[in-house]
Amino acid sequence: MIEFREAPAALPRGRRIYAIGDVHGAFDKMKALHRAIAADLKARPAPSALLLHLGDYVDKGPDSRRVLEDLVANDPVPGLEAMFLCGNHEETMLAALQGDGGAAADWLWGGGRATLEAWGIDPDSAREEWPQHFDPAILRFLRRLHLYHREGGYVFVHAGIRPGIALEEQSREDLLRIRHDFLGSPRDHGFVVVHGHTAGFNPVVRENRICLDTAAWSGGPLTCGVFEGDRLGFLQA
């Protein structure tokens, strides 16, 4: 049973959004959370609902391959529309596989070794050989990820926004990677930003932002924010 609280923003009447934080290869938790969402939707049907992942499907955790292959091959929650946002780890992974040497070094340092190993690739092997191991459908999925989604009083994005800059003028770098200038800002952005990227063991709810990254890959739960009307609740696995 979800315990709802007053939310700092609202969605249109009859609309529900299930927003999931950073997965980072935590396949079993992701599947358990998808099942919990399906059960909630069955118990509490909604006129209109959306499943939205906030990015960072890969790296750090052990099962990045299973995560991506499942998302590509299956509807996460059958019958529920799904949208997938890009995280900085997907951005770095793609750049590395396209031959960017700096990105490859960053990828290895930031958790990419676990992803390569999930595909049976020696992380110390020649970088030119990495791309041939990845199914084209996986690469297409990664290239088609969205940067953000705006709906009702919310903007859903991986990392956050640069305060004082219009949403349409935000840099890709900030949307995928910003931390301190965004996290520490008390500014009213004109919407509440729902994001991941900065891990803690509990969701963070502020007047201007909500963080759903609860360190699923390193012992924390995987968290889904349930947004409907002017209410907010959480599901975890």
Side-chain angles (χ1 to χ4, degrees):
M1 192 73 166
I2 300 173
E3 294 185 8
F4 283 96
R5 56 185 286 179
E6 183 179 355
L11 289 176
R13 185 182 181 91
R15 181 65 162 166
R16 183 184 302 162
I17 294 180
Y18 297 94
I20 297 178
D22 304 35
V23 177
H24 280 308
F27 175 78
D28 290 340
K29 292 178 182 179
M30 183 185 76
K31 294 301 288 182
L33 196 50
H34 287 164
R35 290 192 295 270
I37 292 168
D40 180 61
L41 197 58
K42 182 177 179 179
R44 302 184 312 112
S48 176
L50 172 71
L51 171 65
L52 193 152
H53 271 273
L54 293 173
D56 277 7
Y57 314 95
V58 301
D59 297 350
K60 299 184 178 180
D63 290 326
S64 293
R65 180 172 185 169
R66 294 176 73 197
V67 166
L68 287 184
E69 289 182 343
D70 186 76
L71 294 178
V72 167
N74 303 302
D75 291 332
V77 179
L80 179 60
E81 179 188 3
M83 176 181 287
F84 304 96
L85 302 188
C86 185
N88 60 300
H89 283 261
E90 287 75 51
E91 179 92 340
T92 303
M93 176 181 175
L94 275 177
L97 294 178
Q98 290 165 359
D100 185 322
D106 288 345
W107 191 31
L108 291 174
W109 178 83
R113 285 181 171 272
T115 299
L116 288 166
E117 289 169 352
W119 261 270
I121 304 167
D122 178 357
D124 297 315
S125 63
R127 295 170 181 175
E128 298 79 14
E129 298 176 2
W130 295 352
Q132 66 185 347
H133 295 275
F134 291 88
D135 190 298
I138 296 290
L139 300 180
R140 282 196 301 271
F141 174 83
L142 295 175
R143 294 188 188 107
R144 293 172 180 175
L145 296 171
H146 299 270
L147 267 182
Y148 65 84
H149 175 67
R150 185 171 186 177
E151 188 166 341
Y154 297 100
V155 165
F156 299 84
V157 65
H158 178 64
I161 63 167
R162 175 73 56 183
I165 304 296
L167 183 60
E168 297 76 15
E169 298 175 5
Q170 294 283 329
S171 72
R172 188 179 184 92
E173 179 74 10
D174 282 337
L175 295 174
L176 295 179
R177 291 183 168 85
I178 196 168
R179 279 205 170 99
H180 302 295
D181 290 348
F182 164 65
L183 298 174
S185 174
R187 188 183 186 114
D188 181 351
H189 305 300
F191 42 74
V192 172
V193 181
V194 181
H195 65 98
H197 188 57
T198 302
F201 286 105
N202 294 292
V204 175
V205 181
R206 301 281 186 264
E207 290 186 358
N208 64 351
R209 69 179 184 89
I210 297 168
C211 182
L212 299 176
D213 182 357
T214 48
W217 73 277
S218 62
L222 184 61
T223 294
C224 172
V226 184
F227 300 82
E228 53 185 75
D230 59 357
R231 302 191 305 163
L232 166 65
F234 298 103
L235 290 168
Q236 292 186 319

